[in-house]
Amino acid sequence: MGRDKKNKTSKHIKCDVQFDDNPQGVFRAGDTVSGTVEIQLDKPKKFRGIALRINGFAATSWNAKLTGTDAKNAKNNKKTHFNGREDYFGSITYFVGSDVGNPLEVLAGVYRYTFACEIPANAPSSKEGKYGHIRYVVKLSLERPWKYDHVFQMPFIVKSHADLSLAQERMLKPARAELVQSFYFGLTDPLIVTAGTPRTGYAPGEVIEVSIHVNNQSNVDVRSITVKFQRIDTFLSQVPIVKQYYEHTVMEERTIGRVAGRNDAVFEENILIGSTVPTDDERCKIIMTRYEVEIMVRPIRSRKKLLLTLPIVIGTVGLPKTLYPMEMLSKERAALGMDPTNPGILTGSPIPSESPPPYPDDAQPSTSRAFSADSLTDGPTAPSSDDVKEHEFEKGSEPYTPRDFDEND
């Protein structure tokens, strides 16, 4: 069990937390977190109280320049710490003593205490980001009024429930986007790019079928087309002002070959959705998650990057399979490496594209990486440990750090 670095530890005290029938500590929203705390004392100790706290919360934190709000300070940019916090539930149980009682001597030995706490049904999924997180923690404090407390903690994971069939009509609606672009100050015929997916709602293990139609009436070749399936987390601060920051994580990225001028081409990309958190813009007000498929078109001899975006909703429970055409089910099986006609047989090669690009020799390999706004000028930066006072329920866990993506690639 993790120890709080800011509280004194003792070699004479050992503590462990075990969840009932759940060694991995993974729960669903609405479940009851229950288990046993075991404390082993090698010699007698005096405590004011032994308390167990179970808490779920979201927190955001970053440093950025705050521009002056009046004329006098308009040009004075001051480095400021932005943060926000939202609590979902919390419970505290004293096994021994209380927060205001006199010190009590606890003899050497092994002590076991049971606990239980219900997770709210609308609790958001656990998330870890560079500029914010949603965490759930079991924390044991052996409180001493005259010295540092002995603190031990154990995190657990919560997964929220998102059934796409509850909004079936919206989830079955196709996603569509179109882009029309002329070059050389509008002197050329247009480049028309149309992209779409057959529906909007998906669940992990399913396949997003992205179709792209490039009608290049201009004489400017298209150098490449990049398809990204990405997650976008929005972090909001509450102090000193409300400010938002976006963090993008590319889950899948593929690059298609060129399309010559005066040519017409159709592409199809099947993107398998892996394990991920569901779309959520309601359960948490300071950390929101959405997904999209982004198509970036790069013409030759032009600095313009033409973008199309297709919004995608990810749930934990997919739509009924009876609503799918059989062709879609076959593509999902193929993307999983299974024989489309026999789900129990694995295939040796991925599903081929139905419409190969005009220049197959120029095709580039697929890549997958994550990026954040660190590369943007004057963007927010993660706070150092000296700038931020760590909350008692946040100690002992490190957030992940996504890799950077250069937009000039």
Side-chain angles (χ1 to χ4, degrees):
M1 188 172 188
R3 289 189 175 95
D4 188 334
K5 296 180 181 179
K6 293 188 178 181
N7 289 275
K8 186 178 177 66
T9 59
S10 172
K11 63 181 180 179
H12 301 292
I13 302 175
K14 296 180 181 179
C15 181
D16 189 28
V17 172
Q18 296 291 334
F19 297 111
D20 292 338
D21 302 320
N22 194 338
Q24 302 300 322
V26 179
F27 300 87
R28 295 190 180 276
D31 288 351
T32 296
V33 180
S34 63
T36 303
V37 176
E38 182 178 288
I39 304 171
Q40 181 178 337
L41 301 180
D42 291 345
K43 67 178 185 178
K45 289 280 188 177
K46 286 187 177 182
F47 303 108
R48 181 180 60 192
I50 298 178
L52 183 77
R53 295 174 174 86
I54 304 177
N55 183 254
F57 66 95
T60 57
S61 178
W62 68 84
N63 294 324
K65 290 183 178 180
L66 179 63
T67 304
T69 56
D70 53 32
K72 183 178 179 180
N73 298 320
K75 296 183 179 180
N76 184 19
N77 293 336
K78 182 180 179 181
K79 185 178 180 181
T80 306
H81 175 62
F82 293 85
N83 65 85
R85 184 180 176 90
E86 186 175 77
D87 288 278
Y88 306 113
F89 70 95
S91 71
I92 180 170
T93 303
Y94 273 87
F95 299 136
V96 175
S98 68
D99 58 341
V100 294
N102 295 322
L104 302 172
E105 184 176 64
V106 181
L107 300 178
V110 177
Y111 300 87
R112 294 182 179 86
Y113 306 98
T114 60
F115 64 89
C117 180
E118 185 177 354
I119 305 170
N122 61 345
S125 294
S126 300
K127 296 177 186 176
E128 289 293 329
K130 189 175 181 181
Y131 300 97
H133 49 252
I134 300 175
R135 292 178 182 168
Y136 299 87
V137 180
V138 175
K139 179 177 180 179
L140 183 73
S141 301
L142 288 77
E143 301 173 355
R144 303 184 296 176
W146 65 97
K147 295 181 180 180
Y148 288 107
D149 295 341
H150 294 299
V151 178
F152 305 84
Q153 67 177 10
M154 174 72 76
F156 60 94
I157 303 299
V158 171
K159 294 184 177 182
S160 61
H161 183 72
D163 189 348
L164 298 180
S165 63
L166 298 179
Q168 181 172 302
E169 184 176 349
R170 178 190 167 200
M171 296 301 102
L172 286 173
K173 186 177 180 180
R176 292 285 184 270
E178 184 178 76
L179 180 147
V180 180
Q181 179 67 51
S182 297
F183 303 95
Y184 305 121
F185 305 101
L187 298 178
T188 68
D189 290 329
L191 166 66
I192 305 173
V193 183
T194 306
T197 60
R199 54 193 168 102
T200 300
Y202 298 86
E206 296 180 346
V207 169
I208 304 175
E209 182 186 285
V210 183
S211 59
I212 305 169
H213 179 202
V214 181
N215 182 9
N216 192 359
Q217 301 176 21
S218 74
N219 56 0
V220 177
D221 293 355
V222 172
R223 181 176 64 184
S224 65
I225 301 172
T226 302
V227 180
K228 295 179 186 176
F229 172 53
Q230 58 187 2
R231 166 179 147 186
I232 303 165
D233 292 308
T234 303
F235 301 89
L236 293 178
S237 66
Q238 299 163 328
V239 178
I241 61 173
V242 176
K243 194 175 182 68
Q244 62 184 11
Y245 166 63
Y246 300 99
E247 183 177 340
H248 296 68
T249 302
V250 177
M251 321 258 323
E252 182 75 24
E253 179 177 334
R254 300 174 184 179
T255 301
I256 305 171
R258 304 186 180 190
V259 178
R262 311 294 183 185
N263 271 270
D264 192 277
V266 177
F267 305 94
E268 182 179 297
E269 292 293 326
N270 297 319
I271 300 174
L272 177 65
I273 302 172
S275 178
T276 186
V277 297
T279 299
D280 192 349
D281 58 1
E282 296 179 353
R283 293 181 177 88
C284 181
K285 301 303 181 184
I286 62 173
I287 302 178
M288 291 158 283
T289 299
R290 60 186 174 90
Y291 294 84
E292 69 178 19
V293 174
E294 179 189 271
I295 297 96
M296 178 183 293
V297 181
R298 288 188 172 96
I300 290 179
R301 296 191 300 273
S302 175
R303 293 185 177 181
K304 293 182 178 179
K305 296 177 182 178
L306 313 180
L307 292 178
L308 297 89
T309 57
L310 303 171
I312 299 296
V313 177
I314 302 298
T316 56
V317 179
L319 295 167
K321 298 295 184 181
T322 54
L323 300 175
Y324 296 2
M326 291 306 297
E327 180 183 358
M328 188 63 193
L329 291 175
S330 297
K331 291 178 180 179
E332 289 183 0
R333 292 170 179 169
L336 288 166
M338 304 171 69
D339 187 332
T341 60
N342 189 338
I345 300 178
L346 295 178
T347 60
S349 59
I351 183 172
S353 174
E354 292 186 359
S355 179
Y359 299 125
D361 293 337
D362 293 334
Q364 302 178 25
S366 300
T367 58
S368 181
R369 50 185 169 174
F371 71 93
S372 69
D374 287 346
S375 58
L376 303 179
T377 58
D378 295 332
T381 58
S384 65
S385 58
D386 297 333
D387 295 334
V388 185
K389 184 177 180 181
E390 196 171 21
H391 188 273
E392 62 173 352
F393 287 108
E394 299 182 34
K395 302 161 186 169
S397 181
E398 296 294 333
Y400 76 86
T401 303
R403 291 174 284 170
D404 293 332
F405 173 77
D406 187 353
E407 292 188 342
N408 295 323
D409 282 356

